[in-house]
Amino acid sequence: QVQLVESGGGLVQAGGSLRLSCAPSGRTLSTNRMAWFRQAPGNLREFVAAITWSTGGTYYADSVKGRFTISRDIASNTVSLQMNSLKPEDTAVYYCAATSRLIGQASSQSFYDRWGQGTQVTVSS
């Protein structure tokens, strides 16, 4: 069974930084795109960032542009999310997602067929 495992969440003060990582556990499938989504209490899950595996092309939600950076390590098959200048409104459970599909919208949850369990990020004011 293929799973994605996130790490790196925690508690940080506003203005601080955190780095999240996501790696597959178990059998490795081909990957075309990986992404991060987040869900705050009482809110719907929302898109944060995505990266195309072959080209390294990136996509970001407007709310995180200029503060977050998504990257991938092909050798280890991992994706990371560097989060700088964190704000209290960034507080959420962050989920890693992956897909082997080639066609679809990077910001759409339905495009992804593998998900992690999530890691909590809490930003205090």
Side-chain angles (χ1 to χ4, degrees):
Q1 183 177 359
V2 178
Q3 290 183 327
L4 299 175
V5 180
E6 301 100 335
S7 61
L11 172 65
V12 64
Q13 287 187 329
S17 299
L18 279 175
R19 185 178 181 86
L20 306 182
S21 294
C22 172
S25 174
R27 184 167 59 95
T28 301
L29 300 177
S30 63
T31 298
N32 178 58
R33 189 167 286 159
M34 294 188 75
W36 291 93
F37 288 77
R38 66 186 182 186
Q39 187 167 18
N43 289 359
L44 298 175
R45 190 174 299 187
E46 64 177 9
F47 170 75
V48 175
I51 188 165
T52 300
W53 206 250
S54 59
T55 65
T58 57
Y59 313 83
Y60 295 95
D62 288 343
S63 59
V64 305
K65 277 181 183 176
R67 300 188 298 123
F68 290 11
T69 302
I70 188 171
S71 60
R72 90 264 196 241
D73 185 314
I74 295 176
S76 61
N77 214 28
T78 60
V79 65
S80 298
L81 184 69
Q82 178 66 41
M83 305 184 294
N84 298 328
S85 302
L86 282 161
K87 305 174 182 179
E89 50 263 44
D90 294 318
T91 295
V93 177
Y94 283 70
Y95 296 91
C96 176
T99 181
S100 57
R101 298 172 181 154
L102 296 175
I103 298 175
Q105 186 174 353
S107 60
S108 173
Q109 294 183 55
S110 61
F111 182 50
Y112 300 90
D113 49 25
R114 284 163 274 159
W115 292 85
Q117 296 298 310
T119 184
Q120 177 69 47
V121 171
T122 303
V123 184
S124 63
S125 57

